[in-house]
Amino acid sequence: MKMEKIVIICSSMWPKMNMWGETQRMFYLANYLAGQGYEIMVISPAYETNRNITDTREQKYSNIYLGSIKRTGKTGQTVPALTRNGIMQKVKRRISGIANRYGEWFYGEQDITEILKKSKWVRKYKKEICRIIKEKKADKVIISMPGFTLMKLGQVIHNTCMDVKLIYDYRDPWHLWRYKKNPAYYREKLYLGYADCIVGFSEMFRTDMIQTMKLDPNKIYTVYNGYSELAWQKFEKTQKTVSDNSRSVPDHKMIMTYTGNMSLANKKSNYRNPANLIAVIKEIPDIELYLVGVSKVEKGVDEKNIHFIGEVTQQQSFLYMSQSDVLISIHDTSDRSGEYLISGKFYDYMRSGKTILHIGSDNGLMAEFVNKYGLGVVCENQTEKLRGKINALMEKWKAGRLIRITDDEQNIKQFERDTQNEMYKQIIDNVHK
């Protein structure tokens, strides 16, 4: 049987990536399919990152980088202020807010800078992408979103490479962020018409996409994100080595840790705003809070019992998790994205066995997982409520009772990457010419 050739198009890909969070879903899928004998080619821009750290990963697929995009650099060893009230800062925020609202209204993107970069990349390289698809005699093309500006490539590929089957993969929602019927909604609906298959990241997302976009239920599927068991096994074998090359945490205090990309901007649009959490922890000297993955921080910065840490490797992030008593998840927003999303690090939290404090609405999907699998507690992002929940966790820690109510290992294992990607493989195989 002839093994298929698949081209994956995404906004960035390891190792020349923008950030790991937007890359990992397609990285693990590409590696899994390549390991099953498929010929996988990933097309993306190359990001000029000037990173000081690198992760060592096995790569089974091939990269085709077209052009390069400069990634926003780090600012050194200072921590951005949680509040900035100067006149120039207010003016900049106002202009940025207007531009971002336009981008969301017309494109569905929430960052006008990213819209412009990715739109320019699509315009410049769409013909080259089609040439590669034809030259490689690809059977199927997967377009990874976001960025949703890449979605219009589906129309170009459909019209130019007519024998190729097209799959749209959603890592995040688009219209379902706000439920607004604006130009972005109609653009999304238009481009969905070119897809032979659509793959989403949660069952709730699939259900509401069928309803709002009037999609054929037989055309859209769910493949959850998950954790890499191989990466965790590697960490467990080499934990001592990783520990020797990382900062140590005190063993006489309760350790709370957030890992993942985070901005310290204290504003409503920052759905991972840690301001209230920081304010509460500063009052409790018996707790050390580690915020790992803070943007614009190159080296660790300590402010009493709050520790701001920049980008780390995946193995180092596992170490911070393993050294912690409570792992912090934040998704606090007035839109409906929390009903559909589970952050990539949340699956690693599940695998870690540690207690999770999820900060956000109690009707979100991550809150549902916390309660369903007995992973920890859920709390709204309000100072008084956080103070109560954290003090309750502190009392349990002091009594040696800070453990998960249940540790449903079998159900957690279903979210292992290879298990989910085997489902993805079956979906791909069923998209016939």
Side-chain angles (χ1 to χ4, degrees):
M1 177 181 176
K2 171 185 171 288
M3 203 53 85
E4 291 186 323
K5 297 179 180 179
I6 299 175
V7 169
I8 297 175
I9 304 170
C10 52
S11 53
S12 76
M13 177 51 76
W14 183 89
K16 298 179 182 180
M17 63 188 178
N18 183 24
M19 62 182 71
W20 174 238
E22 72 177 15
T23 299
Q24 58 182 319
R25 181 173 170 93
M26 287 298 104
F27 170 82
Y28 285 117
L29 176 64
N31 254 8
Y32 182 79
L33 293 175
Q36 299 295 310
Y38 293 77
E39 187 176 334
I40 306 297
M41 294 148 283
V42 180
I43 300 176
S44 72
Y47 272 79
E48 300 173 1
T49 61
N50 296 319
R51 277 183 166 85
N52 293 324
I53 62 166
T54 56
D55 258 325
T56 302
R57 307 180 193 275
E58 181 183 14
Q59 179 180 329
K60 300 177 182 178
Y61 60 89
S62 62
N63 286 104
I64 301 176
Y65 291 114
L66 297 178
S68 62
I69 296 176
K70 187 174 182 180
R71 184 172 180 255
T72 302
K74 300 187 182 293
T75 60
Q77 300 184 45
T78 59
V79 176
L82 285 169
T83 56
R84 295 190 178 207
N85 298 313
I87 294 175
M88 286 305 299
Q89 284 80 12
K90 288 181 179 179
V91 170
K92 287 179 181 179
R93 284 202 299 268
R94 181 64 175 167
I95 294 173
S96 175
I98 293 171
N100 287 337
R101 281 197 293 275
Y102 168 77
E104 185 183 324
W105 177 76
F106 191 74
Y107 288 99
E109 302 275 8
Q110 298 184 43
D111 186 332
I112 192 67
T113 303
E114 288 300 306
I115 291 171
L116 296 175
K117 287 179 182 177
K118 290 166 185 172
S119 293
K120 180 180 178 181
W121 185 79
V122 169
R123 287 194 304 272
K124 186 172 182 178
Y125 293 107
K126 60 185 179 182
K127 290 183 180 179
E128 178 67 8
I129 290 169
C130 288
R131 186 194 67 77
I132 292 170
I133 291 170
K134 289 179 178 179
E135 183 181 277
K136 300 292 184 180
K137 297 181 180 179
D139 299 288
K140 290 160 188 173
V141 173
I142 300 173
I143 298 179
S144 171
M145 302 172 298
F148 294 113
T149 46
L150 271 63
M151 200 178 190
K152 62 179 145 184
L153 277 171
Q155 182 181 37
V156 177
I157 293 168
H158 175 85
N159 293 334
T160 307
C161 312
M162 297 180 182
D163 293 334
V164 171
K165 292 298 179 182
L166 182 63
I167 300 170
Y168 282 132
D169 179 85
Y170 279 79
R171 179 176 62 85
D172 283 333
W174 187 2
H175 165 67
L176 298 184
W177 276 93
R178 299 286 193 278
Y179 271 82
K180 293 181 180 179
K181 288 196 174 180
N182 49 25
Y185 163 78
Y186 292 104
R187 285 162 59 84
E188 180 174 9
K189 196 168 185 180
L190 169 68
Y191 294 136
L192 282 170
Y194 296 105
D196 297 287
C197 174
I198 301 154
V199 182
F201 52 88
S202 73
E203 192 57 31
M204 180 64 76
F205 172 79
R206 176 182 179 272
T207 298
D208 282 10
M209 283 291 284
I210 290 170
Q211 181 178 346
T212 60
M213 294 294 177
K214 311 302 179 189
L215 297 175
D216 180 352
N218 296 315
K219 194 176 178 179
I220 180 168
Y221 304 87
T222 297
V223 175
Y224 285 86
N225 293 307
Y227 64 89
S228 169
E229 181 62 26
L230 288 176
W232 271 99
Q233 289 177 3
K234 175 185 175 182
F235 166 71
E236 289 164 352
K237 289 178 181 177
T238 61
Q239 182 172 354
K240 178 63 167 61
T241 303
V242 179
S243 299
D244 290 342
N245 293 308
S246 300
R247 292 162 39 130
S248 60
V249 301
D251 57 7
H252 62 286
K253 295 186 178 184
M254 187 171 86
I255 306 300
M256 303 183 74
T257 300
Y258 169 91
T259 68
N261 185 262
M262 171 178 278
S263 166
L264 297 180
N266 190 11
K267 54 186 180 180
K268 289 183 179 180
S269 61
N270 182 10
Y271 60 90
R272 292 174 179 165
N273 187 349
N276 293 335
L277 175 67
I278 290 171
V280 171
I281 299 300
K282 281 183 175 179
E283 301 171 357
I284 311 175
D286 288 338
I287 297 178
E288 298 286 319
L289 174 63
Y290 292 82
L291 300 176
V292 182
V294 178
S295 62
K296 300 183 180 179
V297 173
E298 185 172 359
K299 297 180 180 179
V301 178
D302 302 321
E303 293 185 359
K304 296 184 179 180
N305 61 337
I306 313 295
H307 309 278
F308 303 92
I309 299 159
E311 184 179 14
V312 300
T313 67
Q314 183 185 55
Q315 294 289 293
Q316 288 170 331
S317 75
F318 289 170
L319 178 64
Y320 278 106
M321 291 181 208
S322 70
Q323 293 176 331
S324 302
D325 301 295
V326 178
L327 298 177
I328 306 294
S329 165
I330 307 178
H331 190 94
D332 176 35
T333 176
S334 59
D335 60 45
R336 298 183 62 177
S337 59
E339 297 177 26
Y340 308 104
L341 288 171
I342 294 181
S343 67
K345 284 298 179 185
F346 192 89
Y347 293 103
D348 285 316
Y349 287 2
M350 293 173 70
R351 168 61 172 79
S352 74
K354 301 293 183 173
T355 297
I356 297 172
L357 168 60
H358 175 66
I359 301 172
S361 170
D362 59 5
N363 65 355
L365 189 55
M366 283 185 277
E368 179 184 321
F369 269 46
V370 168
N371 295 323
K372 182 177 181 180
Y373 299 117
L375 303 173
V377 295
V378 177
C379 184
E380 293 182 47
N381 197 4
Q382 298 176 14
T383 304
E384 286 302 316
K385 291 184 178 181
L386 281 169
R387 185 178 291 112
K389 290 286 186 181
I390 291 170
N391 279 323
L393 290 169
M394 185 72 177
E395 290 304 312
K396 287 186 177 182
W397 175 77
K398 288 179 178 178
R401 295 186 290 108
L402 189 56
I403 57 174
R404 288 184 181 175
I405 300 172
T406 61
D407 194 354
D408 197 340
E409 184 178 346
Q410 193 56 44
N411 277 322
I412 289 174
K413 280 184 176 179
Q414 71 180 298
F415 298 107
E416 200 278 320
R417 285 281 185 182
D418 283 357
T419 300
Q420 292 296 316
N421 283 331
E422 175 57 29
M423 295 168 56
Y424 212 131
K425 174 183 172 295
Q426 294 173 16
I427 293 167
I428 292 170
D429 289 344
N430 287 328
V431 182
H432 299 295
K433 287 188 177 181

